[in-house]
Amino acid sequence: MKPLNDAGNLAWAQRDLRHLWHPCTQMKDHERFPPVPVRRGQGVWLEDFEGHRFIDAISSWWVNLFGHAHPQINAALREQMETLEHVILAGFTHAPAVELAERLARITPAGLNRCFFADNGSSAIEVALKMSFHYWQNRGQGQKTRFITLENSYHGETLGALAVGNVELYKDTYAPLLMPTLTAPSPDSWHRAEGESAEAFALRRLEDMRALLEAHAHETAAVIVEPLVQCAGNMRMYHPAYLTGLRQLCDRHEVHLIADEIAVGFGRTGSLFACEQAGISPDFLCLSKGLTGGYLPLSAVLTTDMVYEAFYDDYTRLTAFLHSHSYTGNPLACRAALATLDLFEQQPVLETNRELARHMARLAAPLAEHPHVAEVRQQGMILAVELVADKARRLHHDWRERRGLRIHRKALEMGVLLRPLGPVAYVMPPYVITPEELEQVFAALTAGIEAYVE
Ligand SMILES: *Cc1c(COP(=O)(O)O)cnc(C)c1O
């Protein structure tokens, strides 16, 4: 195999570094590792300018569901492009937005009848926070202004979303700019006591939430959680009993429940939506990432008729939700989402994923015995491996050693795109991956782990 970043790639990398500032990146790192220019994508495969091919084992930051350049989504977009590329959604409407709102209302958990569009995940979080707060204002409960979040949660990078998140690496620098929130201990099973079940631990942590709500419900608008998997928080997972109990607590204390399914929605956790595994409906459901199959930025906040009606009045009463984004409900993005939902209807996606998930579990099983693997955990199509320096005491390596980069580099050499989160390597592939391709992914992961602990 030819070395990475030979001439054809380097030309693009050099032009890139003259003007581009990349997301979530210390740009100085690119002195050593130039960005990999991708010429095309096809199915699970990405190809660079030298003809090297990589399996996109992280679904391009968790957005891609059915592979790159999917023929059906492509065709739908081509047709939409020739008809209507964009139109203002205030005072006007269009078929893709109407159809998508109808279908989302139908497939999401019961009671979520109202759909508000935005154009990325963080914006959806801002919408849900503002709507919840504003609902209580409109209902004459202006003292309900605070939000309860979970330790280790992540909800995006805009200031409101950052404020309700708890990943220090992203948040601490901006702390002076952020609204204060109340933080409940996480039900994350990693923290359970030896011999304790994930469920028992989740219920124990629910007691902390109960105490927080008993003390603060009167001043709290909503609790916001990522159902089942805290993805950006190192793929930590928890038992659905927490969500079932949390729904009851929120009802009892008259506090909204916001479910951020931006990462876990659309089948990642095994069910279409993670909330289904707890048998609950939130008051607000935030969707993005996989919503368009990974094609275009779009997000949606689903909520109840009860919330909607609190805003519905004569204009002069000034109760309307006067929030907008220029590209709200973009027809191309909505059409990509509709084509994605068609694929869920036409194919037994969740059943196929169950098979793939079992295959992932089999391939990962030997890793659990590794002296530097503290845990292999899985929720549907998300599988994560937590790496430690000391297995008995669960101590991580010094983060300054940046060992995760070794996994990234090693996997690229072996034709796989992996991008560990701190000490956690994970696989979250597009649903069109084959068992053979999964074998290549886990071979790269295993080799990467050896490089990590070396
Ligand atoms: C990615 C993500 C967001 C933010 O979405 P963006 O489109 O990146 O702004 C919010 N919440 C969760 C759980 C996410 O994974």
Side-chain angles (χ1 to χ4, degrees):
M1 178 175 168
K2 286 190 287 182
L4 296 170
N5 294 311
D6 41 15
N9 283 345
L10 262 186
W12 281 107
Q14 281 164 355
R15 276 173 67 184
D16 171 296
L17 293 175
R18 276 200 285 277
H19 296 290
L20 248 158
W21 191 342
H22 287 267
C24 202
T25 297
Q26 171 49 265
M27 291 301 292
K28 188 164 188 282
D29 284 350
H30 284 316
E31 288 178 10
R32 284 197 301 154
F33 305 122
V36 180
V38 173
R39 174 163 52 187
R40 67 169 141 239
Q42 185 67 61
V44 298
W45 292 94
L46 299 170
E47 187 185 314
D48 73 7
F49 280 77
E50 293 293 328
H52 303 114
R53 281 157 39 94
F54 315 98
I55 297 176
D56 187 352
I58 58 164
S59 298
S60 283
W61 256 347
W62 324 339
V63 299
N64 191 290
L65 298 187
F66 295 104
H68 297 273
H70 192 284
Q72 252 175 273
I73 305 177
N74 286 2
L77 276 177
R78 238 177 255 126
E79 194 185 308
Q80 185 59 47
M81 202 150 46
E82 299 297 342
T83 317
L84 176 68
E85 82 303 336
H86 184 70
V87 66
I88 179 174
L89 197 67
F92 285 80
T93 193
H94 53 81
V98 173
E99 286 171 28
L100 183 56
E102 285 172 353
R103 282 176 78 173
L104 289 175
R106 196 162 72 233
I107 63 173
T108 50
L112 298 170
N113 272 331
R114 301 286 166 179
C115 179
F116 192 97
F117 287 116
D119 47 21
N120 63 75
S122 303
S123 298
I125 297 297
E126 303 287 343
V127 166
L129 298 175
K130 284 176 69 178
M131 259 187 196
S132 172
F133 163 88
H134 198 163
Y135 169 91
W136 297 114
Q137 297 284 316
N138 284 351
R139 284 275 182 253
Q141 292 192 258
Q143 79 289 354
K144 285 166 88 71
T145 59
R146 305 188 74 179
F147 296 96
I148 295 179
T149 86
L150 290 183
E151 183 193 337
N152 191 47
S153 57
Y154 178 86
H155 299 291
E157 303 292 351
T158 55
L159 292 176
L162 202 57
V164 293
N166 281 288
V167 177
E168 288 167 16
L169 179 64
Y170 306 131
K171 179 169 182 171
D172 280 5
T173 310
Y174 307 100
L177 304 181
L178 305 177
M179 66 174 164
T181 52
L182 296 158
T183 306
S186 172
D188 165 8
S189 308
W190 172 261
H191 298 294
R192 69 190 186 274
E194 222 178 295
E196 188 176 28
S197 72
E199 180 172 12
F201 179 69
L203 294 175
R204 188 149 65 83
R205 283 291 165 94
L206 195 63
E207 289 308 304
D208 298 310
M209 180 63 91
R210 181 196 306 278
L212 207 54
L213 280 166
E214 275 166 9
H216 296 284
H218 65 284
E219 53 173 352
T220 298
V223 175
I224 179 168
V225 297
E226 296 154 274
L228 299 189
V229 189
Q230 297 184 315
C231 290
N234 293 359
M235 300 294 165
R236 293 292 183 78
M237 300 174 184
Y238 63 89
H239 196 277
Y242 188 84
L243 294 172
T244 315
L246 179 58
R247 176 69 273 181
Q248 288 165 0
L249 285 178
C250 286
D251 285 343
R252 187 171 323 139
H253 291 281
E254 293 196 15
V255 165
H256 288 141
L257 176 57
I258 303 173
D260 174 356
E261 294 220 20
I262 290 166
V264 296
F266 300 102
R268 288 286 180 201
T269 66
S271 46
L272 190 56
F273 298 103
C275 283
E276 294 170 21
Q277 295 186 41
I280 63 153
S281 291
D283 300 287
F284 299 90
L285 177 68
C286 300
L287 302 173
S288 189
K289 291 203 165 98
L291 173 60
T292 62
Y295 264 67
L296 286 161
L298 177 69
S299 60
V301 179
L302 278 292
T303 189
T304 60
D305 287 329
M306 188 166 116
V307 168
Y308 178 80
E309 277 153 21
F311 292 78
Y312 196 92
D313 209 335
D314 294 329
Y315 184 84
T316 50
R317 293 185 53 87
L318 295 178
T319 56
F321 190 58
L322 301 180
H323 180 110
S324 64
H325 299 285
S326 309
Y327 282 98
T328 290
N330 173 261
L332 287 165
C334 289
R335 184 56 71 195
L338 288 165
T340 301
L341 294 181
D342 286 343
L343 292 171
F344 276 101
E345 273 184 18
Q346 293 159 6
Q347 300 168 10
V349 177
L350 298 179
E351 289 76 6
T352 312
N353 283 359
R354 263 198 284 283
E355 277 304 312
L356 286 170
R358 271 197 285 273
H359 196 53
M360 284 162 64
R362 276 195 296 274
L363 291 168
L367 288 172
E369 308 307 318
H370 193 286
H372 291 285
V373 171
E375 185 173 77
V376 176
R377 50 182 177 265
Q378 183 178 13
Q379 182 63 247
M381 292 296 284
I382 307 172
L383 188 143
V385 180
E386 183 120 7
L387 298 160
V388 286
D390 180 333
K391 188 160 177 162
R393 292 192 295 157
R394 289 191 151 189
L395 296 178
H396 294 112
H397 293 88
D398 186 341
W399 64 271
R400 281 167 293 223
E401 294 167 4
R402 307 189 65 201
R403 288 165 178 258
L405 286 173
R406 301 185 198 169
I407 298 182
H408 177 65
R409 300 298 301 173
K410 186 72 194 171
L412 276 186
E413 280 170 26
M414 295 176 68
V416 177
L417 168 53
L418 295 175
R419 200 172 190 276
L421 290 157
V424 175
Y426 69 91
V427 175
M428 198 195 289
Y431 304 161
V432 293
I433 197 164
T434 65
E436 294 71 35
E437 287 161 347
L438 273 178
E439 276 153 35
Q440 182 174 342
V441 169
F442 278 84
L445 175 63
T446 305
I449 288 172
E450 285 316 316
Y452 184 98
V453 301
E454 226 162 57

